[in-house]
Amino acid sequence: MYCNCLKPVSSVFCELTKGKCLVAATFVLRLVSANFIHTSRVFKMSEVENNQETNGTSNGDVPEIELIIKASTIDGRRKGACLFCQEYFMDLYLLAELKTISLKVTTVDMQKPPPDFRTNFEATHPPILIDNGLAILENDKIERHIMKNIPGGYNLFVQDKEVATLIENLYVKLKLMLVKKDEAKNNALLSHLRKINDHLANRNTRFLTGDTMCCFDCELMPRLQHIRVAGKYFVDFEIPTHFTALWRYMYHMYQLDAFTQSCPADQDIINHYKLQQMLKMKKHEELETPTFTTSIPIDITE
């Protein structure tokens, strides 16, 4: 999808902004070493009119939102494989693209949490959202805060009971399949994915609720990625190629910066489940260059 400036709109919010390009900013994700916490920050570049980097604000009053997420369980620095962390990262990244906020993302190694993190948050695990000094610690409260208190957040939270029910419990079926490793659990997950595929085919839209991305997409796509990577690694499970509507959906999601910038490496997804199953990662796996599965096994015609 393109704005009238012919630049791709990765958040697909063009529809909400009536075609006006609000993606003039360039997003750069980098890791910055600190004494205790390794920070991954999205810096915003100013618009063409002044062409200077702005750190924290745009037009003087854009709020800076910080999201603390779990770091990789392999190197303790890069993005980890926490589903909720990626979901909220995607939500906030979309808003940062619209320049309603400035986004700062901090990764914390929860296997060796730094002293200042323990002091401030005790036993709380990420994700943690910080808005103007206020720390929001629980997932449902984070969602509510994004929807009600962060500029532009309300537009992300579409009310669609059918979609909410459709994607519910998908992750539970993945975990059961990985633990039980039997055909019944494989078939249960397959059946659920078929329903999602059928929904997308019937609606004939780019995303779950329409041609504009919403919170449900930020919830579903990280789970699909875990199914794809962990399912293949542990039980040789693959999403069938004849689920063409689902693959088309994933193709579109793979084109979005909101997903690719927030997505953990394949190795981190695999290690996430190895730790749950009390398995150790092999030394050569720890040293591997991070890879990211984003290929599509079918031909997609736009």
mmCIF file of all heavy atoms in Angstrom, residues 108-128:
data_model
loop_
_atom_site.group_PDB
_atom_site.id
_atom_site.type_symbol
_atom_site.label_atom_id
_atom_site.label_comp_id
_atom_site.label_asym_id
_atom_site.label_seq_id
_atom_site.Cartn_x
_atom_site.Cartn_y
_atom_site.Cartn_z
ATOM 1 N N VAL A 108 15.790 -6.266 28.620
ATOM 2 C CA VAL A 108 16.347 -6.626 29.924
ATOM 3 C C VAL A 108 16.565 -8.135 29.977
ATOM 4 O O VAL A 108 15.660 -8.912 29.677
ATOM 5 C CB VAL A 108 15.407 -6.193 31.076
ATOM 6 C CG1 VAL A 108 15.957 -6.673 32.421
ATOM 7 C CG2 VAL A 108 15.238 -4.693 31.092
ATOM 8 N N ASP A 109 17.768 -8.540 30.357
ATOM 9 C CA ASP A 109 18.105 -9.953 30.505
ATOM 10 C C ASP A 109 17.506 -10.456 31.805
ATOM 11 O O ASP A 109 18.022 -10.192 32.893
ATOM 12 C CB ASP A 109 19.632 -10.113 30.502
ATOM 13 C CG ASP A 109 20.067 -11.574 30.580
ATOM 14 O OD1 ASP A 109 19.209 -12.474 30.666
ATOM 15 O OD2 ASP A 109 21.292 -11.806 30.567
ATOM 16 N N MET A 110 16.430 -11.211 31.719
ATOM 17 C CA MET A 110 15.742 -11.659 32.921
ATOM 18 C C MET A 110 16.425 -12.847 33.580
ATOM 19 O O MET A 110 16.068 -13.239 34.686
ATOM 20 C CB MET A 110 14.283 -12.001 32.594
ATOM 21 C CG MET A 110 13.447 -10.789 32.186
ATOM 22 S SD MET A 110 13.568 -9.410 33.357
ATOM 23 C CE MET A 110 12.820 -10.127 34.809
ATOM 24 N N GLN A 111 17.411 -13.436 32.919
ATOM 25 C CA GLN A 111 18.198 -14.484 33.570
ATOM 26 C C GLN A 111 19.214 -13.873 34.517
ATOM 27 O O GLN A 111 19.632 -14.509 35.482
ATOM 28 C CB GLN A 111 18.901 -15.336 32.507
ATOM 29 C CG GLN A 111 17.920 -16.086 31.614
ATOM 30 C CD GLN A 111 18.612 -16.984 30.614
ATOM 31 O OE1 GLN A 111 18.730 -18.193 30.837
ATOM 32 N NE2 GLN A 111 19.066 -16.419 29.517
ATOM 33 N N LYS A 112 19.599 -12.616 34.240
ATOM 34 C CA LYS A 112 20.492 -11.864 35.122
ATOM 35 C C LYS A 112 19.985 -10.439 35.214
ATOM 36 O O LYS A 112 20.621 -9.509 34.717
ATOM 37 C CB LYS A 112 21.923 -11.880 34.573
ATOM 38 C CG LYS A 112 22.531 -13.265 34.437
ATOM 39 C CD LYS A 112 23.905 -13.182 33.789
ATOM 40 C CE LYS A 112 24.493 -14.570 33.566
ATOM 41 N NZ LYS A 112 25.813 -14.498 32.856
ATOM 42 N N PRO A 113 18.817 -10.238 35.820
ATOM 43 C CA PRO A 113 18.251 -8.887 35.863
ATOM 44 C C PRO A 113 19.153 -7.924 36.617
ATOM 45 O O PRO A 113 19.694 -8.279 37.675
ATOM 46 C CB PRO A 113 16.911 -9.073 36.584
ATOM 47 C CG PRO A 113 17.022 -10.385 37.278
ATOM 48 C CD PRO A 113 17.966 -11.225 36.500
ATOM 49 N N PRO A 114 19.357 -6.733 36.072
ATOM 50 C CA PRO A 114 20.243 -5.759 36.713
ATOM 51 C C PRO A 114 19.667 -5.265 38.038
ATOM 52 O O PRO A 114 18.448 -5.273 38.250
ATOM 53 C CB PRO A 114 20.314 -4.628 35.692
ATOM 54 C CG PRO A 114 19.085 -4.779 34.874
ATOM 55 C CD PRO A 114 18.782 -6.234 34.813
ATOM 56 N N PRO A 115 20.535 -4.844 38.954
ATOM 57 C CA PRO A 115 20.080 -4.396 40.286
ATOM 58 C C PRO A 115 19.048 -3.280 40.223
ATOM 59 O O PRO A 115 18.093 -3.278 41.007
ATOM 60 C CB PRO A 115 21.373 -3.928 40.959
ATOM 61 C CG PRO A 115 22.457 -4.693 40.277
ATOM 62 C CD PRO A 115 22.018 -4.846 38.854
ATOM 63 N N ASP A 116 19.243 -2.308 39.311
ATOM 64 C CA ASP A 116 18.292 -1.196 39.272
ATOM 65 C C ASP A 116 16.917 -1.656 38.787
ATOM 66 O O ASP A 116 15.881 -1.121 39.188
ATOM 67 C CB ASP A 116 18.814 -0.036 38.420
ATOM 68 C CG ASP A 116 19.120 -0.445 36.987
ATOM 69 O OD1 ASP A 116 19.188 -1.660 36.720
ATOM 70 O OD2 ASP A 116 19.300 0.456 36.153
ATOM 71 N N PHE A 117 16.884 -2.683 37.954
ATOM 72 C CA PHE A 117 15.599 -3.228 37.515
ATOM 73 C C PHE A 117 14.891 -3.899 38.685
ATOM 74 O O PHE A 117 13.693 -3.706 38.895
ATOM 75 C CB PHE A 117 15.810 -4.227 36.376
ATOM 76 C CG PHE A 117 14.526 -4.809 35.851
ATOM 77 C CD1 PHE A 117 13.791 -4.133 34.890
ATOM 78 C CD2 PHE A 117 14.048 -6.026 36.322
ATOM 79 C CE1 PHE A 117 12.599 -4.659 34.412
ATOM 80 C CE2 PHE A 117 12.862 -6.557 35.854
ATOM 81 C CZ PHE A 117 12.132 -5.873 34.888
ATOM 82 N N ARG A 118 15.626 -4.680 39.455
ATOM 83 C CA ARG A 118 15.045 -5.333 40.633
ATOM 84 C C ARG A 118 14.506 -4.303 41.621
ATOM 85 O O ARG A 118 13.439 -4.465 42.219
ATOM 86 C CB ARG A 118 16.090 -6.208 41.329
ATOM 87 C CG ARG A 118 16.488 -7.465 40.558
ATOM 88 C CD ARG A 118 17.515 -8.253 41.364
ATOM 89 N NE ARG A 118 17.987 -9.438 40.695
ATOM 90 C CZ ARG A 118 17.381 -10.611 40.695
ATOM 91 N NH1 ARG A 118 16.226 -10.736 41.331
ATOM 92 N NH2 ARG A 118 17.891 -11.644 40.063
ATOM 93 N N THR A 119 15.271 -3.233 41.802
ATOM 94 C CA THR A 119 14.875 -2.188 42.746
ATOM 95 C C THR A 119 13.578 -1.525 42.321
ATOM 96 O O THR A 119 12.677 -1.295 43.138
ATOM 97 C CB THR A 119 15.988 -1.124 42.862
ATOM 98 O OG1 THR A 119 17.183 -1.752 43.341
ATOM 99 C CG2 THR A 119 15.570 -0.013 43.828
ATOM 100 N N ASN A 120 13.465 -1.228 41.021
ATOM 101 C CA ASN A 120 12.305 -0.493 40.533
ATOM 102 C C ASN A 120 11.071 -1.364 40.335
ATOM 103 O O ASN A 120 9.946 -0.912 40.539
ATOM 104 C CB ASN A 120 12.647 0.198 39.207
ATOM 105 C CG ASN A 120 13.640 1.330 39.390
ATOM 106 O OD1 ASN A 120 13.615 2.017 40.397
ATOM 107 N ND2 ASN A 120 14.526 1.516 38.419
ATOM 108 N N PHE A 121 11.281 -2.624 39.926
ATOM 109 C CA PHE A 121 10.141 -3.447 39.529
ATOM 110 C C PHE A 121 10.023 -4.757 40.303
ATOM 111 O O PHE A 121 9.137 -5.566 40.014
ATOM 112 C CB PHE A 121 10.226 -3.740 38.025
ATOM 113 C CG PHE A 121 10.303 -2.493 37.187
ATOM 114 C CD1 PHE A 121 11.464 -2.171 36.496
ATOM 115 C CD2 PHE A 121 9.226 -1.631 37.107
ATOM 116 C CE1 PHE A 121 11.549 -1.023 35.735
ATOM 117 C CE2 PHE A 121 9.296 -0.474 36.350
ATOM 118 C CZ PHE A 121 10.465 -0.171 35.656
ATOM 119 N N GLU A 122 10.919 -4.995 41.266
ATOM 120 C CA GLU A 122 10.896 -6.194 42.099
ATOM 121 C C GLU A 122 10.832 -7.460 41.241
ATOM 122 O O GLU A 122 11.691 -7.691 40.422
ATOM 123 C CB GLU A 122 9.727 -6.110 43.090
ATOM 124 C CG GLU A 122 9.860 -4.926 44.055
ATOM 125 C CD GLU A 122 8.720 -4.829 45.030
ATOM 126 O OE1 GLU A 122 7.703 -5.517 44.842
ATOM 127 O OE2 GLU A 122 8.847 -4.056 45.993
ATOM 128 N N ALA A 123 9.794 -8.268 41.400
ATOM 129 C CA ALA A 123 9.736 -9.550 40.686
ATOM 130 C C ALA A 123 8.944 -9.466 39.380
ATOM 131 O O ALA A 123 8.707 -10.481 38.729
ATOM 132 C CB ALA A 123 9.115 -10.614 41.587
ATOM 133 N N THR A 124 8.543 -8.267 39.002
ATOM 134 C CA THR A 124 7.742 -8.101 37.791
ATOM 135 C C THR A 124 8.555 -8.448 36.548
ATOM 136 O O THR A 124 9.707 -8.050 36.417
ATOM 137 C CB THR A 124 7.238 -6.655 37.680
ATOM 138 O OG1 THR A 124 6.476 -6.337 38.842
ATOM 139 C CG2 THR A 124 6.364 -6.484 36.445
ATOM 140 N N HIS A 125 7.931 -9.180 35.643
ATOM 141 C CA HIS A 125 8.562 -9.509 34.371
ATOM 142 C C HIS A 125 8.019 -8.603 33.267
ATOM 143 O O HIS A 125 6.855 -8.212 33.298
ATOM 144 C CB HIS A 125 8.307 -10.966 33.998
ATOM 145 C CG HIS A 125 9.218 -11.922 34.699
ATOM 146 N ND1 HIS A 125 10.062 -12.785 34.042
ATOM 147 C CD2 HIS A 125 9.445 -12.147 36.020
ATOM 148 C CE1 HIS A 125 10.759 -13.498 34.902
ATOM 149 N NE2 HIS A 125 10.388 -13.134 36.128
ATOM 150 N N PRO A 126 8.844 -8.267 32.286
ATOM 151 C CA PRO A 126 8.344 -7.524 31.125
ATOM 152 C C PRO A 126 7.277 -8.346 30.403
ATOM 153 O O PRO A 126 7.241 -9.572 30.550
ATOM 154 C CB PRO A 126 9.599 -7.350 30.268
ATOM 155 C CG PRO A 126 10.750 -7.450 31.230
ATOM 156 C CD PRO A 126 10.303 -8.485 32.227
ATOM 157 N N PRO A 127 6.428 -7.656 29.630
ATOM 158 C CA PRO A 127 6.547 -6.261 29.221
ATOM 159 C C PRO A 127 6.114 -5.282 30.307
ATOM 160 O O PRO A 127 5.189 -5.554 31.074
ATOM 161 C CB PRO A 127 5.611 -6.180 28.010
ATOM 162 C CG PRO A 127 4.575 -7.242 28.275
ATOM 163 C CD PRO A 127 5.314 -8.352 28.934
ATOM 164 N N ILE A 128 6.798 -4.137 30.298
ATOM 165 C CA ILE A 128 6.468 -3.031 31.194
ATOM 166 C C ILE A 128 6.428 -1.770 30.349
ATOM 167 O O ILE A 128 7.357 -1.509 29.577
ATOM 168 C CB ILE A 128 7.511 -2.884 32.316
ATOM 169 C CG1 ILE A 128 7.528 -4.128 33.207
ATOM 170 C CG2 ILE A 128 7.246 -1.628 33.147
ATOM 171 C CD1 ILE A 128 8.683 -4.176 34.191
#
